[in-house]
Amino acid sequence: MSLMSEFNDKAQALGVPLSVHMDVTYRCNERCVHCYLDHDDHGEMTTAEIKRTLDQVAEAGTFLLTFSGGEVFIRRDFLELVEHARGLDFNIKVKTNAVMIREPQARRLRELGVEQVQISVYSHRPEVHDAITKLPGSLRRTLEGIEFLKAQGLKVSISNVWMTANRDDHKAVQAMAKEIGVPYYMDPTVAPMMDGNRSVLALRVPGQNLPEIFHDDSLVGDVDTFCAPPPKPGDDILDGYPCSAGHTAAYISPYGEVFPCVQFPITCGNVRQTHFFDIWKNSPQFHQVRSIRGRDLTVCSGCSHVGTCSRCPGLAYLEGDMRGPSTADCEKSFYRTGIASANMMRLAAARPSVPLVQILPVPSC
């Protein structure tokens, strides 16, 4: 068992929010076509409010803290917030597009002991990347920011969302990351907007293309293991909880709202009115999320994939039922293993004339 697995198990046993993701703003200098956020400022927390919230999160026992946005450097007080967080001994990860990072910002992040910086790069081609971000020159400025961070010795990684707009470029971005000397991560999931708007789902790459990445050992490691048929789930799986959201992880919005996860928009409380730990321990919504075990999942509990699926309860919630299936994850499980999920078989029974590969619902736009 890895050290992080041990940490997570202990946090689960003690009821501690081991990791917290905090968006300090939804404002952004980019307007990415797939983004799930509303970038207008509806009254984000002040510097003092965020510092007070960080104090409360530290008191709750959190160790891993992710600062994200929007674009974190839109806030002029961002480095002040990082300094305050480091004074509370958080292990800090920063997500940024790096467009606003120059040598002084990179140096200060290193001086403050930030653990890692994650940066989104969507294409090696400026015309594609900049079309996705809707900010001319953004690829050039992002790569310059990466150079400044690397020169300071910071741990940097490149992340990429795979979608129709950049479908043919992921290999070149991966090669670029290797040349720069940073890890590369790719996610084929485009999420609905937090307000429930599903129009962005039209950007998802069709499922028939997923085997291209699921059978790429440079992305998934051991392909035979990754794509192996799922084992029959035992009681340990069915009695387990679906994911860490609400169990050892939480999300705080720029407006002080607390959620189980950034992709799980069920409001559990607001730190502007209630202490973070009180929300974490006593929120009825958190209790509802924590009450769910694998055997409580409608449809999924009887699925062979239940122990290996990447099912996201937040995406299932946005589809109408946090205990139900997430069709995007059903699709990934199918194209990873070639074995239909219980959800696909259920839908197929209702539509016997439709080929299995066409069974999953098409996202409404």
Side-chain angles (χ1 to χ4, degrees), residues 8-9 11-12 16-19 240-251 259-261 264 280 286 289-290 311-313:
N8 195 71
D9 288 348
Q12 167 69 16
V16 171
L18 177 65
S19 62
Y241 55 90
C243 81
S244 62
H247 292 271
T248 59
Y251 165 65
F259 304 92
C261 171
F264 200 159
W280 175 258
F286 270 133
V289 170
R290 292 177 191 136
R311 175 190 175 275
C312 172

Side-chain angles (χ1 to χ4, degrees), residues 190-223:
V190 175
M193 294 187 69
M194 289 190 72
D195 64 4
N197 185 322
R198 299 172 65 82
S199 61
V200 293
L201 300 190
L203 293 168
R204 283 180 178 171
V205 175
Q208 294 92 321
N209 298 102
L210 291 176
E212 176 184 339
I213 60 171
F214 291 161
H215 292 82
D216 185 337
D217 60 3
S218 67
L219 293 173
V220 304
D222 185 338
V223 173

